[in-house]
Amino acid sequence: MVKRKSSTFAQSADTAPGLIHMPSFDHLLPRPAKRRASQRKQTHLSPKPSSTNPDINSEVLDGPEALRASPDAEEKDETLDVDKIEGGTATHIKDEEDTVPSLVTGGESDSSLSDMSEVEAPPTNSPQTANSRKSSRAANEPGHTRKASIKAQVEPQFLDPEVDGEEEADEEEIQAALSRPPPVHSDYLPLPWKGRLGYACLCTYLRFSNPPVFSSRTCRIASILENRHPLKNPDEPPHATKNRPDRDQPADIARGQAFVESLGVANAKDIVKMLRWNDRYGIKFFRLSSEMFPFASHEEYGYKLAPFASEALAEAGKVAAELGHRLTTHPGQFTQLGSPRKSVIDNALRDLEYHSELLSLLKLPPQQDRDAVMILHLGGVFGDKEATLERFRENYKRLSPEIKKRLVLENDDVSWSVHDLLPLCEELNIPMVLDFHHNNIIFDSEHIREGTKDIIDLYPRILATWKRKNITPKMHYSEPTPAAITGRQRRKHNPRVTTLPPCPSDMDLMIEAKDKEQAVLELMRTFKLPGFDTFNDMLPHVRRDDNKPVKIPKKKTPKKKKLKKEDEDALEAAEEVLDAEEEEFVQAVIPEDEVGMGGPEGRVYWPPGMEDWLRPVKKVVKKREPGDRGKPLTPAQKRKAAAEAAESAVKLEADVHEDADDDAAVAATPTPAKKAKVPPKSSAKKAAATKKNARSVQTPSTSDDAASGNTPPSEDDSVPVARKSRAAPARQSTRAKKINYVEDNGELEG
């Protein structure tokens, strides 16, 4: 079960979505037990009021779309693995019951677009979908409990969202994929490179800096509703457990709105830092996150960005203009203008209005403002391509001039090829974005072959759609994973790319990859592009570009001889001063504008698969055995070790005595005629060896004279005679050998 976060509350299956008023039983709870100093010290770190740091405030979550390679990427395979980097549970995953309202009971969705179920999503036959269908069928069976329903619905979606397993495909699909003609790629490389490379939404290095810098903070609708209530103690800062909103007091919509607006302002302010980081390492193209202002386009909880975000966005636009950077946005795959459902169209219109307002508030210079476009997919086919295209034409007429001047269309990897969209773009005067990765999956086989060679012939028509509006063209590039075979498997984006597409050398090229800015740095290093010499490899788990305090461990001082009382007091005072200085030691202060920038050596690159380098090594406390070296044993551990040692000694002594008794009870064995060597006194160890060689049935012992050879053996000596039986020893050796006493030429064989 996923650990429950204290920032949310669950709703039962028979409770309508909304506020839950619960009586307080705090006066009946016993006083908390005393805790150790190490535990009390942690609780003193209270978060600041309205903290937007997800490491401190559990109500602040990561926007899921910003973590993906692109908005249309499959979340389970193409999301930045926050769990792996954080070393714990992802902040956007709550308790099982917290996901019930949207997954099981059909409650309030946390999406900015409320009617997701009415949108035609890309088809998939993934194991998650199959498991969801099984769980829905099981829900109708007798004896199916709500808890079982929660488990069935939650596990496929959240237990392992970052699994790297391949999509299942049937044999027919695989055979069809293997029989397709090989792709035909162009050997042209756009070198020397004169364009701008970019990435989408999130800088991994800054996201895991201290403090984190990113522009996709979001939250749950439940958090907005909860923050409408005042704190239990308004004079104290909010706390996850000690000072939460009091639901018994009246709710105020403005108070909840202030909470969600604070997240948006923090996101907008962090754009400045991200732009300056990009500029330092030669990246001048960036896609803004659609989740910058949570639920801004929601039907019920939506809001306008002006005036509360105007200043922060204008400052970000000013920096972008100063550095010459291009900024764009990409509304999600559920923003569709060709849907037959009115509710979906209404949601899409609100979402486009939100993105348009966001870009307008940047106050960019004219050319950069024209280049700040909104990329959109046409969406589903809904059974009839021509009818869908006609609906798009009708809904496009409803758009405001501000949206029309920014809207561009992109070919996708599910339904709409370049040959489907290009005539529509030419008809409606809409620029078209060419996505090379999508074109290799969905293309018109009657006109072109798979690969990058044939699509070059369409460049003049594609670029003309941009020039008519005086907008700088842009293209998208990504690559499938090496193991992908079928078209559905090839939709998955590789974390990084290995080459450049055959685009014009002055193109603005967006790299859509899960590793974000690292994929761009990888290309720079591979092809020695401008900026390749500005960065170096990170030191694993080490950062030297923040002002985090560093405590020096105290030196162990040897025991001193007894001193006079005056000398002892003076020595203790001096040690206290030294200890205080060590605890308050902070490394050299780094200027605020240099924090998180990689330091003078530019150590910001992490190799593929090494995203855990972004965080310090997680310490694992192992249980120390009493015999291990290290810290001195406690009195209890000493007593336990002494008892175990005494018990072992007693057991060993008993074994030695038992072996000695067995040796004494065994009669002397017959000896050969020749004089046998007299063994020396045996130790306890040799006595045990003697026991191993003894038989349970022995011959009667001979006299000393017979042993010396003076007395000849009698006839009866050839037949062994059993001695008086005795109890078998407790332990018998499995290596005991049988002894043969048959006479041969006057000698005994053993």
Side-chain angles (χ1 to χ4, degrees), residues 52-91:
T52 58
N53 187 342
D55 297 338
I56 298 176
N57 189 351
S58 59
E59 292 182 339
V60 181
L61 314 178
D62 276 280
E65 287 190 6
L67 299 175
R68 302 179 193 172
S70 67
D72 55 339
E74 296 186 15
E75 180 179 1
K76 78 182 187 66
D77 284 330
E78 303 183 54
T79 304
L80 183 68
D81 197 340
V82 179
D83 280 358
K84 180 179 178 181
I85 303 174
E86 292 281 6
T89 305
T91 56

Side-chain angles (χ1 to χ4, degrees), residues 224-236:
I224 301 175
L225 299 178
E226 189 176 22
N227 279 275
R228 290 179 177 180
H229 300 273
L231 296 174
K232 289 184 178 180
N233 188 353
D235 298 331
E236 296 292 333

Side-chain angles (χ1 to χ4, degrees), residues 5-50:
K5 299 287 185 180
S6 58
S7 61
T8 62
F9 56 89
Q11 296 176 348
S12 61
D14 54 355
T15 303
L19 299 177
I20 296 180
H21 299 280
M22 299 180 63
S24 175
F25 297 97
D26 293 345
H27 62 284
L28 300 178
L29 298 176
R31 296 188 62 176
K34 291 184 178 181
R35 293 167 292 175
R36 286 182 280 185
S38 60
Q39 295 174 327
R40 292 197 301 269
K41 184 176 181 181
Q42 188 174 2
T43 61
H44 293 164
L45 299 175
S46 301
K48 297 179 180 179
S50 302

Side-chain angles (χ1 to χ4, degrees), residues 192-320:
W193 180 255
K194 302 175 184 177
R196 293 180 288 193
L197 294 177
Y199 65 95
C201 303
L202 181 138
C203 175
T204 64
Y205 186 85
L206 288 176
R207 168 59 184 86
F208 298 101
S209 63
N210 184 32
V213 177
F214 64 116
S215 60
S216 54
R217 297 171 180 84
T218 187
C219 64
R220 292 182 178 272
I221 289 179
S223 298
I224 301 175
L225 299 178
E226 189 176 22
N227 279 275
R228 290 179 177 180
H229 300 273
L231 296 174
K232 289 184 178 180
N233 188 353
D235 298 331
E236 296 292 333
H239 192 274
T241 56
K242 293 183 177 181
N243 194 21
R244 296 188 54 76
D246 187 357
R247 301 191 194 102
D248 293 333
Q249 299 186 35
D252 185 0
I253 295 178
R255 190 181 291 111
Q257 184 63 26
F259 166 73
V260 72
E261 288 179 359
S262 68
L263 299 181
V265 171
N267 289 333
K269 289 182 177 179
D270 278 356
I271 296 175
V272 174
K273 186 80 169 184
M274 298 168 73
L275 291 177
R276 296 199 181 279
W277 192 96
N278 290 344
D279 191 70
R280 173 166 295 192
Y281 300 107
I283 302 174
K284 296 181 177 292
F285 186 16
F286 184 65
R287 178 186 297 167
L288 299 176
S289 172
S290 297
E291 298 162 310
M292 188 183 304
F293 294 92
F295 308 106
S297 62
H298 195 276
E299 181 179 10
E300 181 179 353
Y301 304 102
Y303 50 90
K304 292 293 184 181
L305 307 185
F308 78 92
S310 300
E311 183 179 353
L313 288 174
E315 180 63 25
K318 179 181 177 182
V319 174

